[in-house]
Amino acid sequence: MSERPSFYVTTPIYYVNDVPHIGHAYTTLACDVLARFKRLDGYNVMFLTGTDEHGQKVEKSAEAAGVDPQAFCDKVSARFNDLAQAMNFSNDQFIRTTEPRHKLAVQHLWRVLEEKGYIYADNYAGWYSVRDEAFYAESELMEGEGGAKLAPTGAAVEWVEEPSYFFKLSAFEDRLLELYDSQTDFVMPKSRLNEVRSFVAGGLQDLSISRTTFNWGVPVPDADGHIMYVWIDALTNYLTAIGYPDEAGQAYKDFWPADVHMVGKDILRFHAVYWPAFLMAAELPLPKRVFAHGWWTNEGQKISKSLGNVIDPFELIESYGLDAVRFFMLREVPFGNDGDFSRSAFIARCNADLANGMGNLSQRTLAMIFKNCDGSIPHPGILSNEDSELLNNIDSLLDEVRKHIDMQAFNRAFDAIWKQSAAADTYISSQEPWKLKKTDPDRMYTVLYVLAEVIRQLAILMQPIMPESACKVLDQLKIEDRAFTALGATGRLASGTVIDKPVGVFPRLELDAEESA
Ligand code: MSP
């Protein structure tokens, strides 16, 4: 039994009908930052991502590509795995719904739901959108060009009539409402909770959970020709990864219920209505939170393959460097809101906060230490009020950052960190250490020591969002203990430590001539 507290965070599993783009990278990045933060803060973490490989959409994409579905899944899934490597994601597992362990888990859950009386056979007649892999009521549809019926998401719908098994979703209306009312942070942000609540309060229909018109999926146990609805299959991945149905197993005991299911706003209904209802029916504990983030647009336009404006994360990393990409995505937009991606905003933000902000602060300080203190961390003298104020603020920064991270308010957490970086800039300007060399070298040593200590703590706190760059700064300072227990006064920098000649960590970014034209 692990003595550390545990933390389980999941991304949605990505459909393999598409190549990964910035929207996919965004969801996983948010989880990566949470996972890294919690590990540094002493938690035993399980961070799960993976691919959603069944269903009609994937079957059709494989058909269109003229390959067998499994071969198709293998190829596209590998691309998502490549993205995880390229983005330096620290996921503990990469699950694929075509794995045998997953089939076992979903079929087990199905049997439990059946035994408890929540599944019945009937016929489905209604609208289905293959793109959304979702059923829609007539009243939800919109009218498209030429009177075509469209899903509320704009996706095409088709009329489906087939024998189907149903899940008694309608039986969970009251319990779901009770859940939203008693656990008000079950869905975040709050505006999304209200959305989900009013959807459920409007009345729930039973949910069709098997299809008979395609083959690519998990077969319903003992029901020839029935393939499970891809969402019951997909959602169960969160249990598969921690060993379900082995509820006595260590992974299940350590990590269920999940702490955060991170999702995009488009798939909130599945996670905040269907998933808790399945779990209630199976008498399993519910996840603690579902956080729905916003969507990225590209220079104001919806990102889509057909518009040809998909932002390729691999290309962005190549052009601007990984940590700049990671930083921008979570720093720019309050998490939960929609955001617009533009190269000029990207460059402006990275230059202001990285090259001119933290980069300049650490480069200037370390260069002064290297040149004026025999290349080693100086001994501080008696601290002035300004020194103590700066150090006190940095010593208490973790508490503030933790509070924001626990609410998934990434931009607030980074605001707090960068506010201290700006405070250190103001301190340099007011203390003018470069002038002290001749007039008061002891005071110069103290000022440079205080600055180096501030940089140490800032770099430790920046590790979750910019692991490589923070690591380079800490390497330059020869800091070995990088966990959050090293933050604050107890972990102070050791005077006398010899440092390397500093090299800039955050380059200034420029718009390509072609892009700025
Ligand atoms: N397979 C389902 C999830 C099953 S989870 C049990 C799915 N896959 S998806 O590949 O279509 O989308 C996965 C995630 O990517 C969603 O959370 C979605 O919001 C996110 N994004 C896709 N495009 C996006 C943007 N343009 N911006 C931000 N995130 C978006 O849904």
Side-chain angles (χ1 to χ4, degrees), residues 12-15 21 23-24 52 231 234 238 264 266-267 293-296:
I13 45 172
Y14 301 101
Y15 285 129
H21 64 63
H24 308 123
D52 187 355
W231 272 100
Y238 303 133
D266 53 317
I267 55 172
H293 66 67
W295 268 49
W296 282 96

Side-chain angles (χ1 to χ4, degrees), residues 11-15 21-24 26-27 52 57 80 231 234-235 237-238 262-267 271 293-297 303:
T11 76
I13 45 172
Y14 301 101
Y15 285 129
H21 64 63
I22 194 155
H24 308 123
Y26 184 53
T27 318
D52 187 355
K57 176 152 81 171
F80 278 94
W231 272 100
L235 287 161
N237 92 88
Y238 303 133
M262 189 69 77
V263 300
K265 61 181 183 179
D266 53 317
I267 55 172
H271 284 84
H293 66 67
W295 268 49
W296 282 96
T297 49
I303 297 176

Side-chain angles (χ1 to χ4, degrees), residues 23 164 313 339 359 373 411 517:
S164 174
C373 312
N411 59 311

Side-chain angles (χ1 to χ4, degrees), residues 296-314:
W296 282 96
T297 49
N298 183 359
E299 315 265 352
Q301 272 198 320
K302 185 174 184 292
I303 297 176
S304 92
K305 233 184 351 187
S306 50
L307 288 172
N309 64 352
V310 166
I311 301 167
D312 175 2
F314 295 99

Side-chain angles (χ1 to χ4, degrees), residues 92-142:
D92 298 287
Q93 284 194 59
F94 187 96
I95 193 167
R96 300 184 54 191
T97 52
T98 48
E99 288 174 56
R101 63 170 175 159
H102 180 63
K103 181 174 163 190
L104 195 125
V106 194
Q107 290 188 327
H108 183 88
L109 181 67
W110 182 285
R111 286 200 180 95
V112 172
L113 297 178
E114 203 167 36
E115 270 163 30
K116 296 198 185 278
Y118 289 107
I119 292 182
Y120 63 93
D122 202 341
N123 285 297
Y124 178 77
W127 297 99
Y128 191 75
S129 158
V130 176
R131 193 186 86 184
D132 298 348
E133 295 284 18
F135 300 95
Y136 289 108
E138 177 88 35
S139 57
E140 290 180 286
L141 301 183
M142 323 185 291

Side-chain angles (χ1 to χ4, degrees), residues 435-483:
K435 284 194 183 161
L436 294 168
K437 189 176 178 194
K438 290 215 173 88
T439 57
D440 189 352
D442 284 343
R443 179 65 197 147
M444 176 188 71
Y445 294 145
T446 306
V447 169
L448 291 178
Y449 178 87
V450 168
L451 284 165
E453 169 61 12
V454 168
I455 292 165
R456 176 186 77 89
Q457 297 207 38
L458 289 174
I460 289 180
L461 279 165
M462 286 176 189
Q463 292 175 97
I465 181 69
M466 295 187 294
E468 265 180 35
S469 313
C471 181
K472 281 187 197 156
V473 173
L474 293 167
D475 283 350
Q476 295 193 13
L477 278 171
K478 304 283 183 223
I479 306 294
E480 280 175 14
D481 189 355
R482 297 170 183 196

